[in-house]
Amino acid sequence: MRYIPHTEDDVARMLRVVGKPSVASLFDHIPERLRAKRPLDIAPLDEARLLAHLGELGAKSRPAVGVTEREGAALSFLGAGLTSHHVPTAVDMMLMRSEWYTSYTPYQPEVSQGTLTAIFEFQTMVSELYGLGLANASMYDGATAAAEALMMAERLTGKHKSLLSYALHPHYTDTIYTYLRSQHGHEAEGYAPCVSFGKDGRVDQGQLSAALSAGDVGCVVVQSPNFFGVVEDVAAIAKLAHDAGALLVVANAEPLAFGVLQSPGAVGADIAVGEGIGLAIPPSLGGPGVGLFAARPEYVRQLPGRLVGETTDKDGRRGYVLTLATREQHIRREKATSNICTNQGLIALAFTIHMSLLGRRGFTELARINLSLSEHAKSVLTKVPGVSLAFTGATFNEFTLALPRNAFDVVKALAERGIYAGVSSRAAGLYRAETPPSTGGTKLVAPDDRWLTLAVTERHDRSTIDRLAAALTEVLR
Amino acid sequence: MRYIPHTEDDVARMLRVVGKPSVASLFDHIPERLRAKRPLDIAPLDEARLLAHLGELGAKSRPAVGVTEREGAALSFLGAGLTSHHVPTAVDMMLMRSEWYTSYTPYQPEVSQGTLTAIFEFQTMVSELYGLGLANASMYDGATAAAEALMMAERLTGKHKSLLSYALHPHYTDTIYTYLRSQHGHEAEGYAPCVSFGKDGRVDQGQLSAALSAGDVGCVVVQSPNFFGVVEDVAAIAKLAHDAGALLVVANAEPLAFGVLQSPGAVGADIAVGEGIGLAIPPSLGGPGVGLFAARPEYVRQLPGRLVGETTDKDGRRGYVLTLATREQHIRREKATSNICTNQGLIALAFTIHMSLLGRRGFTELARINLSLSEHAKSVLTKVPGVSLAFTGATFNEFTLALPRNAFDVVKALAERGIYAGVSSRAAGLYRAETPPSTGGTKLVAPDDRWLTLAVTERHDRSTIDRLAAALTEVLR
Amino acid sequence: MSDRRIPEVHPVDTLNLLHTEKLIFEQGAPGRSGASLPPLDVPAIDPASLFGSMARTEAPLLPEVSEVEVTRHFTRLSRWNYAIDIGLYPLGSCTMKYNPKVNERTARMPGFAGVHPMQLESTMQGALELMWRLEQCLIELTGFQRVTLQPAAGAHGELCGIMMVRAYHTARGKSPKKVLIPDSAHGTNPATCAANGLEVVGLKTGADGIIDLESVKAAIAAHPNDIAGIMITNPSTLGLFEEHLGEIADLVHEAGGLVYMDGANFNALLGKVRPGASGVDVMHINLHKTFTTPHGGGGPGSGVVGVGERLVPFLPTPIVEPLADGGEGYRLDYDRPQSIGRMRSFFGNFGMFVRAYTYMRELGGEGLTKATEMAVLNANYVRALLSDVYSLAYDKPSMHEVVFTDKRLKKETGVQTLDVAKRLIDFGYHPPTIYFPLPAVTGGAGALMIEPTETEAPETLEHFCAAMRAIAVEAIADPSIAKSAPLNTAMRRLDETKAARNPKLRWTPTT
Amino acid sequence: MSDRRIPEVHPVDTLNLLHTEKLIFEQGAPGRSGASLPPLDVPAIDPASLFGSMARTEAPLLPEVSEVEVTRHFTRLSRWNYAIDIGLYPLGSCTMKYNPKVNERTARMPGFAGVHPMQLESTMQGALELMWRLEQCLIELTGFQRVTLQPAAGAHGELCGIMMVRAYHTARGKSPKKVLIPDSAHGTNPATCAANGLEVVGLKTGADGIIDLESVKAAIAAHPNDIAGIMITNPSTLGLFEEHLGEIADLVHEAGGLVYMDGANFNALLGKVRPGASGVDVMHINLHKTFTTPHGGGGPGSGVVGVGERLVPFLPTPIVEPLADGGEGYRLDYDRPQSIGRMRSFFGNFGMFVRAYTYMRELGGEGLTKATEMAVLNANYVRALLSDVYSLAYDKPSMHEVVFTDKRLKKETGVQTLDVAKRLIDFGYHPPTIYFPLPAVTGGAGALMIEPTETEAPETLEHFCAAMRAIAVEAIADPSIAKSAPLNTAMRRLDETKAARNPKLRWTPTT
Ligand SMILES: Cc1ncc(COP(=O)(O)O)c(C=O)c1O
Ligand SMILES: Cc1ncc(COP(=O)(O)O)c(C=O)c1O
């Protein structure tokens, strides 16, 4: 075993020092009733065969992202919570330095300045992108970050009712409900009814103000750009929420949007959460990603998750440490702001490196490229007979088409042509027509099964957009 | 340009400090007649498109080595100077540490102990494998190492005639002749006639002693295992050579053989050279590889290439430095033992890491696995109707079959079935029937166009050998 | 500023090639960028024309540097870190074992890394099969009925597990509120209960370091009909096997509660104990501990959760199932009416699944059992080499880790745990986990929780123990050395109080 | 030895996480191995049964360590190295520019790395096309007719080039023996001539640092009908452009000789000078310098050689050609009767071709031209920031590098080049090339040859120059500091004399 150094001689000698007759005797104190009754039945593989076995498993999927289509990747327009951007090679090459990936939580700052400094930079970037003065060292993902934000808002306002935009990513909604159920049992959905969206694809402000009018709402959660790609009028929503004594949580699955859009913080969000995977690493079936979490600085004591702060060493040199740990479980135990411990450090690092590479100028330019290509795609695809835009609201790099027939069938037909055309909002695991979330008495627009949401990014160009249009035309014919 | 940091402001400021009006003016002193007449015509690509372009080029080849056949690699039995072994992932992960690949020749030992120590370990390993007390920091490849060995032997003996085994890899022979021609002009081949091989595939000892009898030969170059895979009787050849006052150079393209075979040094070689690519990195079209060079310690002053030696620092700590540089071109200039400067450092490192992983036990076991599979393949393949062994001599992991018809045609037919079956010695770039090398008056056995040389290694197993046999049977039918 | 700029430099800003490093925001120059972006081959859109006042007018303050500067910055920063690949990293309860390099290669295979979670199931069969196979391996190891892979880390697994416990009770029309948790538990255990609206009933560790049956009985008796369950870490964070687990499980089950096992220390049990067959109802495992997925400077991890029959209906959605009609292949099952729901977006930290599966398949059952055996041997070896100098917290046989206190050392020299930890750095080691677990730090003692793992050779442990011993010897001669340690590092002891007093949590430009 | 082994340890054996490292042979234990080998599914063969006395009886003394130990050993060793990714590496004549990460990815693509050189040409079309495309780019850059990719490094390219020069003369029935080489040339130039059986005629650098026409005329006149050619490095190793190259080429051609240009410094000329169109007959380029293939701690490199019309017939075999019949694709042409033959096995350091091509295609013509411009600007910037403190070797405009001498410093303080170099390490820099080229080190002076390359930002150069200035200032105050430098490193100044006096060139076991 190449990872276990012990030779027979080593073991014999160590046992003599330990004073035990055999390796088995080290386990003698485990009571019989608890012992495994038979040896493990898992076959070992040498490295070459191991790689072949995994390679064969891998070959059973057709990736959405690859270097070339000749290597087998499809032409993908998938977004829906994970819009993969081209992450430069320099990022992964850096992640492979073992000082990054084989270290752990920087408990000992004198030998962890690398990780600590990088997290401090990450916090700064998240804070900048979301326009809020405070950001943590990462959450598991966008969905759990949203759930934690809602719970943080509950703590801050002392109110237990929230409102969720129905155009929030269904996974986020589901995760919030899971978390809420653990607090409130099966009545959870009543604690967080949904607010519908209008023909423009945005939160229905009329419904929202009605739902807020009782003054019992602690927090409103909207996503922008939302699940359908539409940019919400965050400023207006913030005003409504604040006027009703509620906090506004803005969720976001595409931080790049804030290269061209006002940051949530700049237009009134109190907490902003998001998902950084698409700007950090390849899609990897959606995980590991990195949950982004930013808030107004005055809320720092209620913030979940780790924080790195600046300090100095004995000689007065600037350095970084984990700080304000009294919010956290290992000090506060049942009084902690969250139970989170291990977070998504390495992906946060990837995000930080990529943001550094893009830089101020590149980030903005990349956002503009996405916007321009997406607008172009809209104009090309809506020329396909029977196809129109589902919503009138402005979008960034993701938008929703209304097709003349069931979008899921179209997606399947296009997949056979090597094109992953996007997501039908009625696909498995998303909106369930049968079990809509709590409406809190208001009427929800059921997502149409002819809606197709797709993302157009710098990975595409005029010709790949034309290919999609041509294939779509063919399939719809 | 992400690799060129200069902003317009930077350039303007720097020009002011330099005292030049423009960037162009930095080139004003280049005479008009020497200036480029038009701008360069090479189109730039952004990283994503660059990767796609290279990926498409890559997809135009079908690799011999890959993780799985599903990924597109053929089933390969290619050897012929490059027998690819499975190199564990840990090797390449280490090579990607930029302290290794973005440093250069360790001229400044205080900031190069990593490279220097690794070279010292490499020298030790090459010395151990070839059984000679001295080894250098690497040569370009096995072929140039063989040529340099021959020239070193010339310097040591003062005799300008050598004898080459006709079973030496044709690329090595060709390279030696190229080097010799630069010394002796077009009559070069007369300076190094070939000695034929017998039915056992080994050097014809009768011919060899006859050729040695005049006492004018300074060096004999044989390969073991030789180009046909046959293990030479190095001890006997050494005795003949030494008795005639010649030195023996043993070339070797598969160091793994010395896991089961006596090392060249142990059976009389004075210089041993080899190629380590197959145990270091993927085949990469044959380069970069790593030339191995070992010799008797007493020849150190005539050794080509770099050497690392042990010493101490000011505080008495053990450390390593480049040493005996007075043999080398940057000190000795036209009196140097070779003009080599940059060698194959990183591949030498890969070799060193792999040898460390295999270790004493693993190296021997791997050699035995190769031997056993190769012997099994022999017995299976010679059951294919019309197929027999070309030679009676013992082999390691490579052997030569005599097919019932032109081997090159068979290779082509098998390639269409996804099998790279081996090498016909009459393939392009190898033995040329029309222009045999100088015979020095002796008769050479022309390699038969029905001979197929193939390598069987730990990459194969019973079933892949059976697949080859079945495909061969089919093709020969 | 003059054009000719010569900064002040000091040789002390670099120690052995380690440079004092500015933040990336403090480097570069306006307009510089390390981006490589494609040319736009469609009309450029002006954001203001689309978004009006919602268009961003000033770009975020991201760094302005070239790729060269980025690469150097993060390469140099990385060298300020200790890591497993540099040496022994004996952080107790963290299982800092060697992370096989081959894992990194398989996780990056295009057929895994390139798969988007919203692809059609038919186009991601390999990923689903890997998840199924990983679950089968975990079932073989744990004896559970099913395993959910969704949770992103151990604490997330705990949350998921306790949610299922709650859902189980709710489904039976009950809502017990109390969870028994020993004082040696990791902070995530009580925090998890709180996040689930449950209340912690503390169990004091017995004199021998393990949970004593009587205290469980008493706690149950004190809360009749209100026991939701127990959270029990086994081996405990004291490195001790909870020998009464079977009886405790019986008691809790009788009281209507369920048994949650914190499996963070599962590395001590591979092939030895199958919790699912030993009375445990639900358990999380940290793939980033026992199964070698890298710790990544603090994640990502994966906190998969195994459950016995009773909890299967409550597993989060979706779960992977073989195709129902007997066809070859796998599907995602969302149709689980009793499910607690989703724990997160998509399917879990898939990249970690690939690595953990790679590792398990390389070692196989025998190799995994050997891993546990050597991990336990190593812990006991460290114990044997140090227990004459450091005070053993408890005398019971050690499993995968051993906990010492500074009782004697502190009394004799004034040097305490933190000093020992910092001085270890000077000897080239990452310190163990300190001041945890709680039972070991009673009475002002400091605890050193040492988990060597099986990937360490005896020579390495000997060298480490020699350093630990040298520190103790040196402390007698001159306690001030350890107290001012580390001394051989570019960064000296950092002022954590200052950081908390006046928090500076992000960079801001100085104008 | 006792079972209980506690080695002696010292905190000084580690400096800021950098451990004193045993050789890999000195680690581990008998029987330990880091191998992962497949099971044998065919009968095992006993070597002795096949080979008799030729069978090895004792295994070679390779290390006996686990993968963990191997990974740590080489990770730790690597941290003893300076590297481009750590900081400015101003090694003159070596063009230590940033090595793009994307190169490393393309070179590892299976369609490149996995191709065996003896595959059928039809199955390696992508590799052949890449070689063809690379050659086209090089032709565009150099103005030559063809370029051979075979040579493995610069010196190998020189050998190849001079062999072609010899073959050219031989084909014309001549055998001139003299090659003119200026004293500023790199040692490989004269060594190459010697390896070709040619004799060097030295040219002394003129007072202005470049070759003066008269000395060439004189040398030619002194060796009538015996001039094989000239080897001229342009820009020279003094960083100066050989302004008389055109006239020199005319003179040499008139004398029947050919002009070899050492293109090691081609980074100064991209888009500015096409040597093939300027009288040069043959030139090598180091892909590992100008075209960013990594230096690898001393290789592998690639020393491609461009030739003008006259030398095309003599190129080594094989060369890549488009398919003759107009079909799409490429072939290897071996049928070149006048060829000098093979320079090595297979086709060259292909892995470097992929990287160099990747780089060229990313930058494109404009980017490559800008690279040259900024490289030259950077060298002149360093010159401007240092020439008041260090003595300029020559006053001519600098190209890609600038050479200083220690004349003034040594006279005033006794501190010399070597000391400056070692003291730079304390400031976090790799020293420049020192004591080279020869014309700058006349009269006992030491030379500092500084090549910053274009990938360095002005701030980096300013910091470096500040360090250089601080050293000079410090030398006046206290010359002993520089003389005992480096002081901030784990390894102090090494005794090179001792190493050469009693060479220990491999490890041997102590018994
Ligand atoms: C005993 C124990 N339980 C739970 C956890 C939490 O695991 P994670 O950090 O993966 O959330 C830890 C982590 O250190 C632990 O040691
Ligand atoms: C001017 C010059 N010529 C030739 C060479 C030799 O190149 P290589 O080291 O690649 O063989 C060098 C290398 O430093 C050089 O600087």
Side-chain angles (χ1 to χ4, degrees), chain A residues 104 107 140 306 339-342, chain C residues 92-94 153-156 158 185-186 188-189 233 237 262 264-265 284 286 288-289 301-302 436:
Chain A
Y104 203 15
Y107 294 121
Y140 300 134
R306 292 207 177 101
N339 79 336
I340 192 169
C341 181
T342 295
Chain C
S93 198
C94 295
H156 204 214
E158 291 177 32
H186 194 264
T188 49
N189 291 188
T233 307
T237 58
D262 181 327
N265 298 332
H284 83 264
N286 304 56
H288 49 298
K289 295 179 180 175
S302 174
F436 181 77

Side-chain angles (χ1 to χ4, degrees), chain C residues 63-133:
Chain C
E64 305 197 89
V65 285
S66 67
E67 181 173 314
V68 192
E69 290 160 290
V70 172
T71 293
R72 281 197 187 142
H73 176 65
F74 289 101
T75 303
R76 291 157 70 142
L77 273 189
S78 76
R79 291 166 62 103
W80 288 85
N81 275 359
Y82 195 89
I84 296 175
D85 280 6
I86 290 180
L88 175 76
Y89 202 134
L91 210 56
S93 198
C94 295
T95 317
M96 304 298 287
K97 57 166 87 173
Y98 177 71
N99 302 144
K101 301 302 162 194
V102 67
N103 294 358
E104 297 308 309
R105 180 157 167 202
T106 55
R108 284 170 172 84
M109 286 177 170
F112 298 128
V115 179
H116 189 285
M118 300 307 292
Q119 287 182 209
L120 295 176
E121 288 170 24
S122 59
T123 68
M124 53 158 85
Q125 282 298 306
L128 297 181
E129 181 173 341
L130 184 131
M131 289 166 74
W132 175 258
R133 283 170 173 268

Side-chain angles (χ1 to χ4, degrees), chain C residues 197-225:
Chain C
L198 299 173
E199 288 152 32
V200 175
V201 176
L203 294 176
K204 258 194 77 66
T205 296
D208 56 357
I210 63 174
I211 306 177
D212 104 291
L213 222 45
E214 295 312 312
S215 74
V216 176
K217 282 186 193 151
I220 290 176
H223 304 283
N225 294 322

Side-chain angles (χ1 to χ4, degrees), chain A residues 394-415:
Chain A
T395 62
F396 171 53
N397 64 358
E398 207 171 358
F399 56 88
T400 300
L401 294 175
L403 302 185
R405 51 191 182 85
N406 184 296
F408 193 63
D409 294 340
V410 173
V411 165
K412 280 194 278 191
L414 286 170

Side-chain angles (χ1 to χ4, degrees), chain B residues 144-157:
Chain B
T144 58
E148 294 264 16
L150 186 147
M151 296 189 325
M152 173 173 159
E154 281 196 13
R155 290 193 298 273
L156 284 166
T157 61

Side-chain angles (χ1 to χ4, degrees), chain A residues 5 10 13 16 47 99, chain D residues 3 32 36 67 79 105:
Chain A
D10 288 336
R13 179 167 68 83
R16 288 196 297 273
E47 183 176 309
E99 288 93 334
Chain D
D3 287 337
R32 202 179 284 167
S36 172
E67 180 172 313
R79 291 165 62 103
R105 180 156 168 204

Side-chain angles (χ1 to χ4, degrees), chain B residues 1-7 10 13 16-17 45-47 49 67 71 86-87 89-90 93 98-99 111, chain C residues 3-5 17 29-39 66-69 75 79 101-102 104-105 109:
Chain B
M1 252 319 299
R2 57 182 171 169
Y3 311 134
I4 305 179
H6 305 70
T7 65
D10 287 335
R13 180 168 66 82
R16 288 196 295 275
V17 173
L45 291 169
D46 61 280
E47 182 175 309
R49 277 152 189 78
V67 171
E71 263 186 14
H86 174 72
V87 180
T89 306
M93 287 292 282
S98 48
E99 287 93 334
V111 288
Chain C
D3 286 336
R4 188 183 166 93
R5 294 177 193 160
L17 304 188
R32 202 178 285 167
S33 163
S36 172
L37 302 177
S66 67
E67 181 173 314
V68 192
E69 290 160 290
T75 303
R79 291 166 62 103
K101 301 302 162 194
V102 67
E104 297 308 309
R105 180 157 167 202
M109 286 177 170

